[in-house]
Amino acid sequence: MTGVAERSASILDQPEYRVEGRDKVTGAARYAADVVMPGMLQAAYVTSPYAHARIVSIDVSAARALPGVRAVITGADTKPGRLGRRLQDWPILCWDRVLFIGDRVAAIAADTAAIADEAARLVEVEYEELPAVLDADAALAAGAPVLHPDAANYAFLGGTRAQRSHPNVQGQALHEHGDVEAGFRTSHKVYEHTFTLPRTHQAYIEPRATLVWLDGETVRVVTTNKAPFALRQHMSVALGVPEPRIVVDAGHIGGDFGGKGLSIDEFVLYHLARATGRPVRALTRYADDLQATNTRHAATITLRTGVDAEGRILAHTSRVLFDGGAYAAGKPVITLMPGDAMLTLAGYRVPAARVEATTVYTNQVPAGHARAPGQPQNAFAAESHIDLIARDLAIDPLEFRERNIVRHGDVDVTGKPWHGTDGPALLARLRTASRYGPSLARPNQVNWWGWGVALGVRHVGRGRASMVLRTLAGGRVELRTGVSDQGGGAHTLFQRIVAAELSIPLDRVAVSRGTTDAVLSDPGVGGSRVTPVQGSAALDAARKLNAKLAELGRSIDDASEIEVTGEAAQETHEASTYAYALRVTIDRETGSLKIDDATLVADVGKVINPVALRGQLEGGFIFGLGQAVMEELRVEDGRVVTANLGDYKLPTIADAPPLRIELITDHPGPGPFGAKSVGELANPAVGAAVANAVQDACGARVMSLPVTAEKIWAELPK
Amino acid sequence: MSTHRLSFTLNGTKHELEVAADRLLIEVIRDDCGATGTKLGCAVGVCGACSVLVDGELLSACLLPAVFADGRRITTVEGLAKNDLTPLQDAFIREGGFQCGICTPGQLIAATALLSEQPRPDHEAIRTWMMGNLCRCTGYYGIERAIQKASGVGGQSPPNRL
C-alpha cells in the first residue's frame, strides 16, 4: 500500500490547474445572466417607498395598457405565498402590509427591461403609513408594533420553531455552563464592554440573475442561487409544486459569500411565467441588490468577563442583539439566528459562561447569511474586549491570549471540551512569524504605530453529500456532482481527490455538474462544508471504485460501465483557529490608518488545492479588511443610502497590504486526507486586529466597525 | 427616440446594426452580439467588470453609449486568446488570479492594457493601474502575482507552494 500512498502524494504535489480555468479566462464560462431563451420577457418590480405601511389599493390598469407589457401581478395573485430558507415569512409579493423600503408589491413581465421599468412606474399604489420599528431595542419594547401577527401560519421547514419571549423576536437562544455567579464572585476584576456592528453586504460583483420558464409540467430555473436542491425545496413548499417538477440549474456563480443561499426572484418569476406562458428573467440592478437583500446583521454586543489576578478568565456572560430586518427568510439555521450567534468568546478557556443571543424583526432590509455568519460581529467584540482587559491589567495582549487560549480538553465558551487547533502552538507561530514587538514595553508613549492581535475560530463544515463516479473508456472516470461553482475551486478539489485516491493522472478525472434532475441531492456550497463534506463524498466514491475494481479483478484501464455512489455524512464537531498580528501606522493629523504589515497563521490541516487555499485565505483577509475599515451599509430612516459601489466602499488592489501567511498542517481535520475548511476561516477577526492595533498605536479605542479615520480621530486621547 | 446605424469590429468580426440612442455598449456587446464574456456589475463605472478596449483604450462599457463604438475596434475577453491562451490568461489560472471569475474578464482586459503600456510594471504600477477593477474573491494578491508572472518580472512561487 505504500506505493499507492506515494503515488497519491505525488498527484497532490502536482500544480493545481482549475478545471474551469480556461472557460473563466476566455469569457466562455456561462453565468446565470448570460442565459437567454427564445421569447424571453424581462421582469421589473414595484417596491415600497415606506418602511412600514398598509397597502390601501393598487391600480395596475395603466401599466397593463402599456404596449409590450405581458403581465402585471400583485400580492392578490401570489397570496398567501411566502418564501424563505427555514421560516417562510417573506411574501412573494405583499398584499396587506409592506415591512421595509424595497418590499415588493407588484411585478411586471414585459418585452424589454425598459418597458417593464416604465410599467412599474405606472402602477399606482396607495399606502397608509404605519409606525416603523427602526432599531432592535425598539422592536422589543412593550407596545412595539407587532410586525408579523400571522407568524403561526408560516411554513417552517424541517423542525419546529422555538417559543419566543416577544412577538418581534425572530429567534433566540440561551446557553449556560459552569457556575457563572461564583466565577464572577471570585474574580479579581470584572470587565464589561458594549460594541456595535453595522449592516454590511456580501458585495459579490455579480448581482442576482434569475430565469424561469415552464416546460410542460416542469418548472425550469436558471439562477445565481448556490444551493440548488435547497432552492428546489423552498420553491416546492412556497409554490405548491412537487419537487420533481422543479429543475434548478445553478452553474458558475459570480461570488456568493453567503448571500446567494437566499433567493427572492424565482418565486415571483414562476407566477409571471405562468401568467404569460413565456420565459421570464429578472436581472437585479446592483443598487437593488444592495438595498433589498440579505445583509449581514447589524448587532449590539455586550460582553462581561471576570478574570483572576493573573488574567485568567473565570466567568463570562454575553448579550447579543441582532437586527434581523423585516424577514427571517434568509437564515437557514433552526434557531433563526446567524449561524455563530452564540460564539462570543471563541477560542478561549471559559470555565463558566452564560450566552444569550436574540435576533429581532425591524422595518429594515432583511438580514441573512454572510461569510461566517455571526462571527465578524462576535469576533470583533470578543477580541476587542480581550485586548481591553489585557491592557487594563498591564499584560501584553498576545501574552494574555497565550494564558487563556483553549488547550486540548479545556472547556470553551460552548461548554464542550476542545479538540481543535493546538492554541499555544498557533500563537507561538504567530509571535515568531510576525516578529511581534511587545507593545507595553513603551508605556504612556504614543508612537503612532502599533501592533494588533486577534484570533478567530471556525467550525469545520458538517452535513451529508453524495455524488456518482463512473468509469469511461481509456482509463478515464467522470464524477457527477450537484455542487455549483461559486469560486472556491470545488470541482478542482474533487478532481485532485479522486485522482489521488485512484492513483491516476489528473487529466483522466472529469468533473461535471448537473441540474437537480440529473444528479444526486447536494446540500450546496456553504457552511465551510465543501472540502470536508462534499470532498469526503468524492473520496468515498473513489474508494468504492477501487474496491469494486479489486472485487472484479480489473484495472481502471480496462474497466467500463462501472458506477459507484460516493457518500459522506460528516458529523464530527471540530474547529480550526487562526490568528492575525497586524502592524499599523496612524496619521496623527487625520486619524487615517495604514496597515504596514499583516501576518496570518491558520490551522488548515492537509492542503489539497494549494492555490485555491491560499486564495481563500488572502481573499478572506481582504474581505475582512473591507468590513474592518470601510464597509457599512448605511441606513437612514429605513432607507439604504449607500446604494451603489461608489458609496458602499470595497477594498481595491491599492488597499491590500503586505500579507504573510503561515499554515499549520500537522493537525489533521475530518476532511479528505485530513483536510479542514478555509473559506470562512480568515475574515472575521480582521476588524478587532485593526482596532487593537489602532489603540496600541495612538491610544484611540474604537468600539464599532468600521474603524474609520473619523472615529480614530474622535477617540484620540486629548 | 432616434436610432443610429453602427458599424464596428468586435474581436476582429465586423458588426453592423441599428441601435436606439440610449443603448449602452455593454448591452449591444452582450445582447445584440451575444458576446457575454464581458460582465455587468455595479452599472455605475466603479467595479470594472465591464472593462473593454476601444481602439486599445481601456473603458467601462456600462457607461458608454453604444453609438460611441461606431467605426471603432472593440476587444473583449473573448478576443484575447487566439488558439493558445495568452501568457496573462495562463498566469491568472496558475497564480490564483481568479476564483468565481465574474470580474476576471475585466481584470484581464485591464491588465492587457497595462502590459501594452508598461511591459514590466512594478508593484506600485500594478496597484495604480488595477485600482479600477474590483475583485471580491482573491484579495488581489493572486491578480498581482499573475500580472508579474506574465510580465516576466518578480520571483513567482511555484503555484503549489505556500
Side-chain angles (χ1 to χ4, degrees):
Chain A
M1 292 308 287
T2 316
V4 172
E6 277 167 7
R7 280 203 304 280
S8 304
S10 73
I11 285 163
L12 292 185
D13 282 339
Q14 286 177 25
E16 174 188 340
Y17 198 89
R18 282 283 179 116
V19 297
E20 78 280 13
R22 190 180 172 94
D23 283 352
K24 283 186 176 172
V25 299
T26 58
R30 190 199 70 160
Y31 296 76
D34 303 333
V35 179
V36 294
M37 286 286 292
M40 180 175 78
L41 302 172
Q42 308 292 333
Y45 304 111
V46 179
T47 61
S48 168
Y50 297 107
H52 191 193
R54 190 174 70 84
I55 300 168
V56 177
S57 65
I58 304 181
D59 180 357
V60 301
S61 53
R64 278 208 178 115
L66 189 69
V69 170
R70 304 295 166 178
V72 183
I73 62 172
T74 68
D77 302 297
T78 63
K79 186 179 167 180
R82 291 176 184 266
L83 61 92
R85 300 176 74 180
R86 175 72 72 166
L87 179 71
Q88 297 204 312
D89 62 352
W90 189 332
I92 294 172
L93 293 171
C94 299
W95 60 86
D96 58 349
R97 282 183 307 137
V98 288
L99 294 186
F100 74 101
I101 294 173
D103 224 354
R104 293 169 176 175
V105 298
I108 292 117
D111 291 349
T112 68
I115 296 170
D117 287 338
E118 177 61 19
R121 284 189 285 273
L122 294 173
V123 172
E124 299 269 358
V125 187
E126 188 188 338
Y127 297 95
E128 176 196 340
E129 205 173 348
L130 298 170
V133 177
L134 293 177
D135 71 72
D137 286 323
L140 295 175
V146 174
L147 299 186
H148 289 264
D150 302 325
N153 300 327
Y154 297 166
F156 191 85
L157 309 180
T160 327
R161 190 177 184 187
Q163 290 293 312
R164 298 169 293 147
S165 61
H166 187 288
N168 284 337
V169 168
Q170 294 184 349
Q172 60 196 156
L174 174 72
H175 161 82
E176 192 162 2
H177 75 265
D179 190 337
V180 174
E181 301 318 320
F184 281 125
R185 234 180 6 254
T186 54
S187 286
H188 166 65
K189 275 195 160 182
V190 176
Y191 296 89
E192 182 173 313
H193 302 109
T194 296
F195 303 90
T196 55
L197 290 304
R199 276 171 201 76
T200 57
H201 197 271
Q202 298 85 0
Y204 30 72
I205 303 299
E206 175 201 47
R208 291 153 192 277
T210 313
L211 170 61
V212 175
W213 72 98
L214 302 179
D215 174 8
E217 290 286 284
T218 302
V219 182
R220 296 201 178 267
V221 181
V222 176
T223 175
T224 47
N225 189 298
K226 51 86 172 265
F229 284 89
L231 173 62
R232 187 178 73 163
Q233 181 205 14
H234 304 158
M235 289 181 71
S236 175
V237 174
L239 301 172
V241 177
E243 284 191 30
R245 278 178 41 205
I246 302 171
V247 177
V248 180
D249 180 0
H252 296 298
I253 295 163
D256 156 38
F257 316 110
K260 286 175 178 164
L262 174 72
S263 277
I264 56 175
D265 295 294
E266 287 77 349
F267 307 81
V268 66
L269 293 186
Y270 164 77
H271 285 282
L272 287 172
R274 264 191 22 163
T276 59
R278 288 167 62 173
V280 188
R281 179 165 85 166
L283 297 182
T284 305
R285 287 186 184 79
Y286 209 98
D288 293 328
D289 217 315
L290 282 170
Q291 290 177 86
T293 53
N294 217 27
T295 70
R296 194 188 283 288
H297 290 67
T300 305
I301 301 173
T302 299
L303 305 181
R304 189 162 179 262
T305 300
V307 295
D308 69 14
E310 281 75 49
R312 288 188 185 80
I313 296 165
L314 299 181
H316 168 70
T317 60
S318 57
R319 184 168 181 273
V320 186
L321 184 58
F322 291 109
D323 183 343
Y327 302 108
K331 288 180 279 281
V333 291
I334 199 158
T335 57
L336 296 178
M337 289 197 293
D340 281 331
M342 307 287 284
L343 272 184
T344 58
L345 206 57
Y348 297 101
R349 181 178 59 254
V350 183
R354 185 169 59 245
V355 176
E356 192 186 342
T358 308
T359 306
V360 297
Y361 283 117
T362 62
N363 293 115
Q364 301 277 19
V365 187
H369 266 185
R371 197 172 194 172
Q375 284 200 3
Q377 297 96 318
N378 277 330
F380 174 70
E383 289 298 301
S384 298
H385 181 60
I386 288 283
D387 232 63
L388 285 161
I389 297 171
R391 285 169 192 282
D392 185 74
L393 293 170
I395 301 172
D396 175 82
L398 179 53
E399 189 180 331
F400 184 90
R401 289 176 171 83
E402 286 163 346
R403 290 186 196 179
N404 284 287
I405 197 161
V406 68
R407 291 162 163 77
H408 274 268
D410 284 347
V411 167
D412 72 0
V413 72
T414 67
K416 297 192 185 89
W418 175 259
H419 298 297
T421 305
D422 179 353
L426 178 93
L427 292 181
R429 279 285 284 279
L430 184 72
R431 187 180 276 282
T432 314
S434 68
R435 300 180 187 85
Y436 180 77
S439 49
L440 294 192
R442 42 192 174 84
N444 307 316
Q445 183 192 336
V446 172
N447 283 343
W448 302 98
W449 60 266
W451 285 93
V453 171
L455 61 85
V457 174
R458 178 67 181 168
H459 68 251
V460 179
R462 295 184 290 272
R464 291 171 169 275
S466 45
M467 46 191 81
V468 169
L469 181 65
R470 64 189 183 102
T471 55
L472 307 172
R476 292 171 47 81
V477 296
E478 183 195 27
L479 187 75
R480 295 274 289 160
T481 172
V483 176
S484 306
D485 159 50
Q486 103 298 19
H491 296 178
T492 309
L493 177 94
F494 302 153
Q495 183 197 50
R496 292 170 71 85
I497 289 169
V498 170
E501 188 62 17
L502 297 177
S503 297
I504 59 176
L506 290 168
D507 62 8
R508 282 166 61 179
V509 181
V511 178
S512 61
R513 179 197 62 85
T515 50
T516 52
D517 57 333
V519 293
L520 297 175
S521 181
D522 183 86
V525 179
S528 291
R529 187 191 299 126
V530 172
T531 298
V533 178
Q534 281 99 331
S536 293
L539 179 61
D540 183 60
R543 285 185 174 153
K544 282 180 175 152
L545 181 57
N546 269 340
K548 189 87 182 172
L549 290 169
E551 180 191 315
L552 297 172
R554 309 256 293 275
S555 96
I556 194 148
D557 297 313
D558 61 9
S560 60
E561 298 304 311
I562 299 176
E563 185 174 299
V564 294
T565 298
E567 291 174 311
Q570 186 60 259
E571 295 306 331
T572 316
H573 282 260
E574 189 165 326
S576 289
T577 312
Y578 62 98
Y580 284 103
L582 307 184
R583 215 187 70 131
V584 307
T585 302
I586 307 294
D587 181 316
R588 66 184 76 193
E589 298 299 323
T590 64
S592 66
L593 79 91
K594 178 171 168 283
I595 296 174
D596 302 315
D597 185 64
T599 301
L600 165 63
V601 180
D603 174 15
V604 300
K606 172 72 180 174
V607 178
I608 299 171
N609 280 13
V611 176
L613 179 133
R614 179 176 181 158
Q616 287 285 319
L617 293 175
E618 291 171 339
F621 169 61
I622 296 299
F623 194 95
L625 185 64
Q627 307 208 333
V629 302
M630 64 182 82
E631 291 178 41
E632 176 173 7
L633 196 72
R634 286 215 349 262
V635 183
E636 289 173 10
D637 297 329
R639 183 179 299 278
V640 172
V641 296
T642 51
N644 64 66
L645 285 187
D647 291 332
Y648 187 87
K649 302 285 185 198
L650 297 179
T652 73
I653 194 169
D655 296 308
L659 172 65
R660 181 184 307 111
I661 297 178
E662 296 258 333
L663 302 181
I664 293 179
T665 57
D666 56 4
H667 186 271
F673 313 126
K676 300 184 181 179
S677 343
V678 295
E680 298 171 290
L681 192 62
N683 61 301
V686 183
V690 169
N692 295 342
V694 166
Q695 183 175 16
D696 193 56
C698 66
R701 170 55 66 171
V702 178
M703 304 289 278
S704 63
L705 287 182
V707 180
T708 60
E710 291 87 339
K711 289 183 192 171
I712 295 170
W713 193 84
E715 296 296 332
L716 282 174
K718 299 296 181 277
Chain B
M1 189 170 301
S2 61
T3 60
H4 300 266
R5 280 207 71 74
L6 283 191
S7 168
F8 59 88
T9 65
L10 174 62
N11 302 321
T13 303
K14 191 157 185 185
H15 289 263
E16 289 190 14
L17 32 102
E18 188 147 331
V19 299
D22 66 343
R23 297 205 58 214
L24 296 168
L25 183 58
I26 180 106
E27 298 168 353
V28 168
I29 290 173
R30 285 178 54 86
D31 301 339
D32 299 25
C33 304
T36 55
T38 304
K39 304 304 181 191
L40 180 64
C42 72
V44 291
V46 172
C47 77
C50 65
S51 299
V52 296
L53 299 179
V54 180
D55 288 342
E57 190 184 358
L58 177 62
L59 293 169
S60 291
C62 78
L63 296 180
L64 285 179
V67 292
F68 181 84
D70 192 34
R72 305 196 191 223
R73 185 170 44 84
I74 298 166
T75 304
T76 66
V77 67
E78 291 98 330
L80 295 180
K82 301 307 167 204
N83 290 314
D84 293 335
L85 298 180
T86 64
L88 186 68
Q89 288 171 310
D90 187 60
F92 261 67
I93 300 174
R94 293 184 187 278
E95 291 295 332
F98 65 84
Q99 289 172 30
C100 83
I102 202 78
C103 74
T104 312
Q107 302 281 358
L108 286 164
I109 287 291
T112 299
L114 167 64
L115 294 178
S116 77
E117 288 222 356
Q118 303 177 49
R120 291 175 164 269
D122 64 11
H123 172 69
E124 280 311 316
I126 293 172
R127 284 158 72 93
T128 303
W129 186 281
M130 297 299 292
M131 213 188 288
N133 289 79
L134 298 179
C135 170
R136 195 60 160 163
C137 293
T138 63
Y140 304 103
Y141 298 96
I143 291 171
E144 184 172 344
R145 284 194 294 271
I147 294 170
Q148 285 177 339
K149 181 174 192 158
S151 71
V153 170
Q156 279 74 53
S157 53
N160 60 338
R161 203 211 81 192
L162 263 155

